[in-house]
Amino acid sequence: MSSALHEQPYLESWRWMSRQIRCAMDPDEPRLIEHYLAEGRYLACCTATSPWTIAETSFRLLLDTATDIALPWHWRSLCLDQAWRPLREMERLSLCKCRLNRWQRYTWQLATCELLPSIPLIELVQGFTDDQDTY
């Protein structure tokens, strides 16, 4: 069996979990983040997928989710709390100057990340209704 055929189901599962995290589809299930990171570790060690790409993608997903004010605060906080894990892996994989520079930029982004309050759901609903009334 080719490597791509072996890796495809795991890659698809990992991508589906990333969409669930990014869209906060199940914000009361914190184990989803651990499962996503574990699936990424499997892809990195047991398939042809680049470990750096897995770590960088995971970090960006968690940081982008954490800073999305349309998502629930507790989910965003949890994503921010877990963003160090792929960042630590990126540090381990920073074997060239280019990667080290990227890791340093990401470290700075995480260190200076400030979470703004989430938009309350009622404001989102009211804002949509108000827009509808103007047409």
Side-chain angles (χ1 to χ4, degrees), residues 11 23 30 32 40 59 77 90 93-95 97 107 113 118 124 128 132:
L11 193 55
C23 298
L32 176 61
F59 174 76
S77 296
M90 289 169 59
L93 298 167
S94 295
L95 303 176
K97 183 87 171 151
T107 300
C113 181
S118 293
L124 290 172
F128 180 75
Q132 292 296 322

Side-chain angles (χ1 to χ4, degrees), residues 16-78:
W16 170 243
M17 283 185 274
S18 74
R19 286 187 292 274
Q20 289 178 302
I21 291 168
R22 186 62 184 90
C23 298
M25 294 171 134
D26 196 0
D28 295 324
E29 184 49 75
R31 292 174 295 183
L32 176 61
I33 295 171
E34 174 55 39
H35 192 86
Y36 169 76
L37 294 173
E39 193 86 4
R41 285 190 301 271
Y42 176 82
L43 283 169
C45 79
C46 300
T47 70
T49 308
S50 161
W52 175 269
T53 300
I54 296 291
E56 185 176 30
T57 302
S58 299
F59 174 76
R60 289 291 344 143
L61 171 78
L62 292 171
L63 195 62
D64 290 347
T65 303
T67 58
D68 187 343
I69 62 171
L71 300 177
W73 174 261
H74 71 281
W75 185 248
R76 296 171 54 215
S77 296
L78 184 62

Side-chain angles (χ1 to χ4, degrees), residues 6-21:
H6 173 70
E7 136 183 36
Q8 193 61 31
Y10 297 102
L11 193 55
E12 286 303 313
S13 173
W14 186 69
R15 287 179 178 152
W16 170 243
M17 283 185 274
S18 74
R19 286 187 292 274
Q20 289 178 302
I21 291 168

Side-chain angles (χ1 to χ4, degrees), residues 59 63 87 102-113:
F59 174 76
L63 195 62
L87 191 62
R102 284 167 68 180
W103 173 79
Q104 288 172 336
R105 278 196 316 271
Y106 290 145
T107 300
W108 180 253
Q109 287 176 359
L110 182 60
T112 60
C113 181

Side-chain angles (χ1 to χ4, degrees), residues 81-95:
D81 287 346
Q82 296 300 312
W84 66 271
R85 295 170 71 192
L87 191 62
R88 180 186 61 194
E89 185 62 15
M90 289 169 59
E91 179 185 24
R92 189 182 69 77
L93 298 167
S94 295
L95 303 176

